[in-house]
Amino acid sequence: MGATSSGYCSFTTSHEIRHPDFSGRSPHSSATEMEQEKVNESKELSADAASYRCSACHGDEDWGLGHPIRGRAKSRSLSASPALASTREFRRTRSLHGPCPVTTFGPKACVLQNPQTIMHIQDPASQRLTWNKPPKSVLVIKKIRDASLLQPFKELCVHLMEENNMVVYVEKKVLEDPAIVNDDRFGPVKRRFCTFREDYDDISNQIDFIICLGGDGTLLYASSLFQGSVPPVMAFHLGSLGFLTPFGFESFQSQVSQVIQGNAAVVLRSRLKVRVVKELRGKKVAIPNGISENGVLAAALDAEVGKQVMQYQVLNEVVIDRGPSSYLSNVDVYLDGHLITTVQGDACPSGVIVSTPTGSTAYAAAAGASMIHPNVPAIMITPICPHSLSFRPIVVPAGVELKIMLSPEARNTAWVSFDGRKRQEIRHGDSISITTSCYPLPSICVRDPVSDWFESLAQCLHWNVRKKQAHFTEDEDGEEDGEQGAGS
């Protein structure tokens, strides 16, 4: 599947809503005929997969329309594909995974299909990455202002260009480091780089896979560069924590070669699709929350005419807090249009965290939430310094849509940030809609998603790490028989 078809096939999951059959078939049709029809339908879906398209990807998933690319990279964005000839479409259902039947990541990567899948739930350990075509371009992301990463960065780039004949993309500000500018031996390699600038050049259809050098922040930054389909990410642990970066740099040559050859383990880290709608102040008065008697969000608030709309893809969490105000934070949380709770807090960082399973081990864990494996399709809601002692973190299905607004009685505004970036103020009449994105981030594993995750829990967070209790000798066991020790 080429770059133009990435993200434009039909969206089918085990929870898909199918239209009823009005073909006029008799209700007494034999079981053999029904079975044969299912087989034919399966073949039809497989053959016509490229002619279907996800309606969401051509609707609310449009990210780059109306914003011309001014830089050197002028390739068409993922959301700008012309309408395909077929008028047959599936209804969109929200899911952890991306568009199916073949989930793709970037122009060339996809998940190796597993024919032994049971109940459409794949064993995380059997989730493997493969390539439709050999990868030729790689984006290298390096932590800025870290002198210790200059030598690994140079070694990696030389290996990719000279040993694997890859086209290497780097951010322009990375090459402005004096240690790189003044290195004459690195000059011939540097002149072969393709450069880009964040928020200026579109590289979404030009990158086959990504290599990160640094800590967890480099993976978050890589996610922010791709508002649609994300190429596979290989993250090397060269930072301070490294929970999301499982690879060590000591044997990077063999590890990179193995990924390029394909068939590597991968974990699909779900992202949040966040839609922020703001009133245009100065043209009309902000409208306070409207709630009907049964707690359903008033329909009038859904009108977005004359409003500013912004969209983000978030890998870790969305944080809504009270900002610099000294008043209580006071925001309403809706789930699928129904008011479920009002978040009140009385401390400097008080508010609420909406996180992915990947983000459950970040700010949410520091706020007292549970830790969720990335393969679990869920969204976590975690209060920050709540006023109610019974307000505990909760986990909701990935298919729901959350909407967060200032409460009508709120005395101050709120502030929102996305993976710690793009922090902005939220006022009365503004809203934040959050659901699971259909574009996950495929993170390449050292071994498999389960082993890597528990290894990170133990090594980075010291989860359940303690000195083990010494065992009794046979003589001590006999002397203590029948007695209760103080620590029993």
Side-chain angles (χ1 to χ4, degrees):
M1 182 176 294
T4 56
S5 62
S6 176
Y8 288 96
C9 41
S10 63
F11 197 90
T12 57
T13 70
S14 57
H15 305 289
E16 177 160 331
I17 302 174
R18 304 300 301 272
H19 295 290
D21 183 11
F22 296 105
S23 59
R25 185 185 59 196
S26 170
H28 302 290
S29 298
S30 65
T32 304
E33 293 176 351
M34 296 178 67
E35 188 66 23
Q36 183 62 37
E37 182 175 331
K38 290 181 179 179
V39 172
N40 294 337
E41 182 180 0
S42 177
K43 292 180 180 179
E44 181 183 348
L45 288 176
S46 177
D48 298 339
S51 65
Y52 298 144
R53 62 191 179 101
C54 171
S55 59
C57 298
H58 292 260
D60 58 351
E61 291 284 359
D62 280 349
W63 299 98
L65 299 180
H67 300 284
I69 304 303
R70 296 172 290 167
R72 174 185 49 75
K74 297 180 180 295
S75 65
R76 178 167 47 82
S77 66
L78 288 177
S79 59
S81 177
L84 300 178
S86 175
T87 58
R88 183 175 180 180
E89 297 182 3
F90 286 118
R91 289 187 60 185
R92 179 184 190 270
T93 56
R94 302 184 187 100
S95 169
L96 169 65
H97 302 292
C100 291
V102 179
T103 305
T104 59
F105 310 106
K108 298 176 182 176
C110 63
V111 171
L112 188 65
Q113 298 301 299
N114 180 14
Q116 298 180 348
T117 300
I118 300 175
M119 294 179 61
H120 304 284
I121 300 175
Q122 189 173 29
D123 176 12
S126 69
Q127 203 160 257
R128 312 291 296 182
L129 180 73
T130 189
W131 300 99
N132 293 320
K133 298 179 181 178
K136 293 298 182 183
S137 60
V138 56
L139 168 62
V140 178
I141 296 178
K142 184 185 79 71
K143 185 179 179 181
I144 305 297
R145 295 187 297 273
D146 191 338
S148 65
L149 296 181
L150 290 176
Q151 189 58 34
F153 170 74
K154 294 177 181 179
E155 293 178 11
L156 174 65
C157 293
V158 170
H159 175 75
L160 291 170
M161 289 183 177
E162 297 182 355
E163 300 296 329
N164 295 282
N165 197 27
M166 304 286 291
V167 177
V168 179
Y169 286 76
V170 296
E171 196 169 7
K172 190 172 183 180
K173 61 184 178 183
V174 171
L175 300 183
E176 296 172 353
D177 191 302
I180 294 180
V181 173
N182 300 326
D183 189 343
D184 295 333
R185 292 178 299 176
F186 194 63
V189 176
K190 185 178 64 175
R191 284 191 289 270
R192 296 171 58 187
F193 281 128
C194 293
T195 60
F196 73 97
R197 288 165 289 181
E198 183 187 9
D199 297 329
Y200 190 83
D201 297 322
D202 180 18
I203 58 173
S204 57
N205 274 350
Q206 302 177 28
I207 305 300
D208 294 335
F209 77 105
I210 305 169
I211 296 179
C212 295
L213 302 178
D216 293 347
T218 58
L219 192 69
L220 296 175
Y221 180 68
S223 172
S224 69
L225 293 176
F226 295 85
Q227 295 300 300
S229 177
V230 187
V233 182
M234 185 180 189
F236 286 93
H237 173 36
L238 293 169
S240 57
L241 183 60
F243 190 89
L244 305 178
T245 53
F247 286 92
F249 196 76
E250 296 78 15
S251 56
F252 77 91
Q253 296 95 335
S254 61
Q255 292 173 327
V256 170
S257 298
Q258 184 177 356
V259 170
I260 293 175
Q261 293 169 6
N263 200 23
V266 65
V267 57
L268 302 183
R269 298 186 179 276
S270 64
R271 300 196 293 174
L272 297 175
K273 186 186 74 174
V274 186
R275 183 181 178 90
V276 180
V277 180
K278 290 187 174 182
E279 295 281 353
L280 294 178
R281 268 80 194 182
K283 294 185 178 180
K284 59 180 179 179
V285 180
I287 305 172
N289 286 16
I291 305 173
S292 61
E293 294 181 358
N294 60 357
V296 179
L297 191 65
L301 292 179
D302 289 335
E304 295 179 0
V305 179
K307 297 184 180 182
Q308 180 185 12
V309 180
M310 295 162 287
Q311 298 183 96
Y312 305 93
Q313 294 278 335
V314 176
L315 179 60
N316 261 0
E317 74 274 304
V318 180
V319 178
I320 300 96
D321 57 61
R322 75 178 191 179
S325 173
S326 59
Y327 294 107
L328 284 172
S329 63
N330 208 325
V331 295
D332 292 337
V333 180
Y334 300 85
L335 192 150
D336 286 341
H338 294 267
L339 178 66
I340 58 171
T341 191
T342 297
V343 180
Q344 295 185 91
D346 189 20
C348 185
S350 63
V352 64
I353 305 169
V354 180
S355 61
T356 63
T358 295
S360 68
T361 53
Y363 193 178
S370 297
M371 294 179 286
I372 306 175
H373 190 275
N375 276 104
V376 178
I379 298 176
M380 176 174 281
I381 303 172
T382 306
I384 309 172
C385 301
H387 237 221
S388 170
L389 296 179
S390 61
F391 191 179
R392 311 306 304 161
I394 61 172
V395 178
V396 297
V400 304
E401 182 178 28
L402 298 172
K403 195 162 192 174
I404 300 176
M405 307 176 71
L406 276 177
S407 299
E409 61 272 13
R411 297 183 178 181
N412 61 291
T413 61
W415 288 77
V416 61
S417 61
F418 314 94
D419 282 341
R421 308 179 73 202
K422 310 289 185 182
R423 186 170 171 83
Q424 52 195 272
E425 191 174 17
I426 300 297
R427 302 185 179 185
H428 283 288
D430 301 342
S431 66
I432 306 168
S433 299
I434 305 171
T435 190
T436 302
S437 170
C438 65
Y439 298 110
L441 183 144
S443 179
I444 300 173
C445 304
V446 173
R447 287 183 290 177
D448 60 75
V450 175
S451 300
D452 283 14
W453 192 68
F454 278 100
E455 182 73 15
S456 295
L457 286 181
Q459 296 295 327
C460 301
L461 302 185
H462 303 289
W463 178 70
N464 199 29
V465 174
R466 67 178 296 275
K467 187 176 180 180
K468 292 185 177 180
Q469 185 182 40
H471 68 281
F472 283 135
T473 63
E474 293 183 2
D475 294 340
E476 291 174 334
D477 191 21
E479 293 174 0
E480 296 291 336
D481 189 23
E483 297 182 5
Q484 292 290 333
S488 297

